[in-house]
Amino acid sequence: MNPEEEKPVYTCNEYRQEMILLALRRRLQQPDLAEEERQRLTGEIARLEKAIGF
């Protein structure tokens, strides 16, 4: 493999962000979630997706 063809490094921080995102999405699926909490989670998910680059 040429040095120019190196794979991107997947860091612990990226993994952590993805796990947080999964947990937030899972929590958003709860049927008994208050509307205020649902809005907060939606905003946090959008912020995190933007930071990750989704």
Side-chain angles (χ1 to χ4, degrees), residues 17-34:
Q17 288 179 321
E18 288 181 13
M19 293 303 105
I20 291 170
L21 181 59
L22 288 173
L24 291 173
R25 286 179 176 169
R26 199 176 275 163
R27 192 166 173 203
L28 189 61
Q29 298 301 316
Q30 294 176 344
D32 60 342
L33 199 61

Side-chain angles (χ1 to χ4, degrees), residues 24-46:
L24 291 173
R25 286 179 176 169
R26 199 176 275 163
R27 192 166 173 203
L28 189 61
Q29 298 301 316
Q30 294 176 344
D32 60 342
L33 199 61
E35 185 59 33
E36 185 177 293
E37 181 70 5
R38 186 174 304 280
Q39 289 176 358
R40 188 188 70 74
L41 287 172
T42 302
E44 183 65 19
I45 289 169

Side-chain angles (χ1 to χ4, degrees), residues 2-17:
N2 296 333
E4 299 164 3
E5 297 177 13
E6 289 184 27
K7 294 180 181 178
V9 177
Y10 185 68
T11 66
C12 292
N13 192 40
E14 291 170 329
Y15 176 79
R16 181 178 175 273
Q17 288 179 321

Side-chain angles (χ1 to χ4, degrees), residues 18 21 25 48-54:
E18 288 181 13
L21 181 59
R25 286 179 176 169
L48 197 52
E49 286 177 341
K50 185 176 181 182
I52 293 173
F54 284 175

